[in-house]
Amino acid sequence: MSYKIAFISLGCAKNLVNTEQMMALCRAAGHTVTGDPEGADAAVLNTCGFIESAKSEAIDNIIQLGELKQAGKLKKLLVAGCLSQRYPDEIRAELPEVDGLLGTGSYTDVAAAVEALMAGERPGYFGDIHRTYEDGERLVTTPPWTAYLKIAEGCSNGCAFCIIPKLRGKYRSRSPEALLAEAKKLADSGVEELIVIAQDITRYGQDLEEETSLARLLRELCRLDFRWIRLHYLYPEAVTDELIETIASQPKILHYLDIPIQHCNDAILARMRRRNTKAELSALFAKLREAMPDVVLRTSLICGLPGEGETEFEELCQFLREQALQRVGVFQFSPEEGTLAAAMEDQVDPDTAARRVELVVDLQSRIMDSHNEARLGSVMEVLCEGFDAEEGCYVGRTYADSVEIDGRVLFTAAGLVPAGAFVDVRITGTCDGDLTGEIEE
Ligand code: SF4
């Protein structure tokens, strides 16, 4: 029996890759896959569940899909991913619209789970979350010129505020052979921008029998026919000189580095169980800027971790003023049950934490504006992502802009510019964090 199965992917790009694998598995099992749940036999909602806001988003989606079921526009609902892994009993008890559950160790059971659902069962698949990563086909859902390459699953870093290791298991690198085969397929299919992801890409290969490294993998990936290779989620303490040399010397690897630091105050970093100090972070950023003067640094921060007083917070703000990082994502501390930080003393009042997030956002938007202003008059290579009718111009990204999380370039051109093409754009203005410009004929 062939079913029409809708897929909805929430959360991070690593979760999206799992969704793409599940779509390929269902198609291989003879089912039809779609992105629209209306009129489908079953919907698979691949959830995120690591902080409060992500949990709320997942529950909102479940309720909406439940309403579709009530309206007779959807038959069954399978909830997969981190929320299922974390709260199976609560979902069963409190969300009756959910017909089946798929944990993070059971993505490859998706077709069997859907078939069980359609047969009237209420399955729950919860495989071992530490098991060896299962390679497999993907139905790539990103635009044809961009694709993610997930090089490992899980995390063993054990940050005090983070529940991910309990949801995704210990760190497991994928084999270089499987990665290069997948990357080659992506390059042959026309992908120009390869985005390398994992919970922590810098640990790549350390757990493999035949030990290898991220630097070695990157050198191999650079042999393939990509234009851009972009790196996300580098753990600061694990950025080696060999890795820096590889990034600086390989033209395809973008001088755009996403290095989550979470904070800069030494006592807070120790409480977070992060393995670096402010001095080491400053030294790393200085070393990267020396090796690559045009490097764009992105980071993630948490405000309101227990023990963070006004002094520690002001130290963070001063660090941001001094370092002038181009891209910063800032989150309010979320006391997640099952983490060390949730049980810590000196919890910070949530309103205070929220105010601190706002202050960092303000500070950072001024820093980003000055970086953007420094681009005025320059000519930058832009990956065109199509014509935006609302903006009335073309939209694209530079090496300094990753997918969905950074700025854009809005530009005009006399002729037609195909989506996926690389063009040179003269930057003539800035607007709400974006750059504006005209194509350099
Ligand atoms: S590095 Fe830390 S914050 Fe990131 S996934 Fe691992 S434990 Fe969580």
Side-chain angles (χ1 to χ4, degrees):
M1 181 76 178
S2 172
Y3 298 112
K4 187 176 177 187
I5 309 173
F7 282 85
I8 301 140
S9 197
L10 305 178
C12 64
K14 290 146 281 191
N15 217 27
L16 179 65
V17 172
N18 292 125
T19 302
E20 293 175 346
Q21 281 180 312
M22 288 194 284
M23 292 169 77
L25 286 164
C26 286
R27 180 180 279 182
H31 304 296
T32 307
V33 298
T34 172
D36 182 2
E38 200 152 326
D41 295 308
V44 179
L45 176 69
N46 193 17
T47 61
C48 176
F50 85 119
I51 53 172
E52 212 45 51
S53 54
K55 292 185 267 185
S56 312
E57 184 193 23
I59 293 165
D60 290 348
N61 274 267
I62 290 170
I63 291 166
Q64 282 164 26
L65 291 163
E67 285 159 5
L68 268 187
K69 283 179 62 182
Q70 273 182 342
K73 295 177 180 168
L74 175 67
K75 298 192 184 82
K76 298 290 183 180
L77 173 56
L78 178 68
V79 174
C82 292
L83 192 82
S84 293
Q85 186 64 41
R86 195 169 179 191
Y87 301 111
D89 303 336
E90 293 82 348
I91 295 172
R92 287 260 192 237
E94 296 162 29
L95 295 164
E97 52 268 71
V98 175
D99 300 294
L101 296 171
L102 205 62
T104 56
S106 293
Y107 288 117
T108 50
D109 298 319
V110 62
V114 169
E115 286 149 19
L117 280 182
M118 299 311 296
E121 296 171 33
R122 293 177 68 78
Y125 288 75
F126 290 93
D128 174 11
I129 65 170
H130 303 290
R131 69 185 189 183
T132 305
Y133 191 99
E134 286 173 86
D135 302 303
E137 295 298 315
R138 293 161 55 191
L139 284 188
V140 177
T141 59
T142 42
W145 48 84
T146 289
Y148 294 105
L149 184 72
K150 181 173 170 177
I151 66 173
E153 180 59 280
C155 190
S156 302
N157 286 330
C159 301
F161 52 82
C162 184
I163 196 71
I164 292 172
K166 288 189 176 169
L167 304 180
R168 293 272 168 174
K170 65 181 181 185
Y171 196 85
R172 291 98 74 207
S173 300
R174 297 176 62 194
S175 75
E177 297 74 26
L179 286 171
L180 292 169
E182 184 174 320
K184 176 134 188 6
K185 265 199 197 133
L186 293 170
D188 292 348
S189 73
V191 169
E192 299 273 8
E193 177 187 30
L194 186 75
I195 307 179
V196 176
I197 58 171
Q199 299 298 349
D200 169 3
I201 65 172
T202 40
R203 303 259 172 240
Y204 178 74
Q206 294 175 6
D207 58 314
L208 292 176
E209 232 166 78
E210 234 182 281
E211 192 165 330
T212 181
S213 70
L214 176 61
R216 200 181 300 173
L217 175 69
L218 288 175
R219 290 192 289 270
E220 292 300 316
L221 289 171
C222 286
R223 296 170 190 275
L224 300 173
D225 195 16
F226 298 112
R227 178 87 166 241
W228 285 355
I229 295 177
R230 189 182 295 278
L231 308 181
H232 274 280
Y233 311 104
L234 292 92
Y235 195 100
E237 164 255 352
V239 177
T240 62
D241 289 348
E242 183 202 5
L243 181 58
I244 295 173
E245 198 283 323
T246 299
I247 297 169
S249 62
Q250 296 282 347
K252 291 181 182 180
I253 305 177
L254 296 175
H255 294 177
Y256 169 101
L257 299 176
D258 169 33
I259 307 176
I261 63 170
Q262 311 301 353
H263 211 283
C264 74
N265 169 270
D266 289 349
I268 296 289
L269 288 168
R271 270 183 170 239
M272 286 178 162
R273 301 183 77 183
R274 301 284 292 182
R275 288 184 294 279
N276 43 260
T277 63
K278 184 164 81 171
E280 287 160 352
L281 292 173
S282 303
L284 173 64
F285 292 154
K287 194 188 271 187
L288 291 168
R289 286 173 168 145
E290 193 187 330
M292 299 164 275
D294 65 338
V295 72
V296 166
L297 296 172
R298 161 172 269 283
T299 198
S300 305
L301 303 169
I302 293 176
C303 290
L305 191 101
E308 184 194 59
E310 286 305 323
T311 310
E312 290 79 11
F313 176 64
E314 183 42 41
E315 185 182 342
L316 177 64
C317 294
Q318 188 51 29
F319 182 80
L320 292 175
R321 291 185 201 102
E322 286 161 8
Q323 290 295 333
L325 305 172
Q326 287 90 343
R327 312 272 185 235
V328 170
V330 54
F331 300 87
Q332 178 174 343
F333 171 69
S334 181
E336 293 302 320
E337 80 276 1
T339 66
L340 292 172
M344 281 179 185
E345 289 175 3
D346 308 323
Q347 295 282 329
V348 174
D349 166 59
D351 292 342
T352 303
R355 181 180 56 76
R356 289 176 183 165
V357 169
E358 279 169 27
L359 289 169
V360 168
V361 169
D362 283 354
L363 168 60
Q364 205 40 49
S365 68
R366 290 193 295 276
I367 291 171
M368 197 170 69
D369 287 346
S370 61
H371 280 298
N372 278 351
E373 268 134 39
R375 300 281 189 196
L376 292 177
S378 70
V379 175
M380 299 188 77
E381 181 183 48
V382 170
L383 168 54
C384 176
E385 298 203 294
F387 188 82
D388 185 318
E390 215 176 298
E391 300 280 1
C393 65
Y394 289 98
V395 177
R397 291 181 289 114
T398 71
Y399 81 99
D401 313 306
S402 191
V403 176
E404 286 174 7
I405 53 174
D406 296 321
R408 307 171 300 168
V409 180
L410 310 174
F411 67 97
T412 56
L416 193 66
V417 184
F422 287 85
V423 292
D424 288 335
V425 173
R426 180 169 298 280
I427 306 302
T428 55
T430 70
C431 167
D432 300 334
D434 292 333
L435 297 173
T436 60
E438 50 205 36
I439 202 164
E440 187 79 351
E441 300 299 350

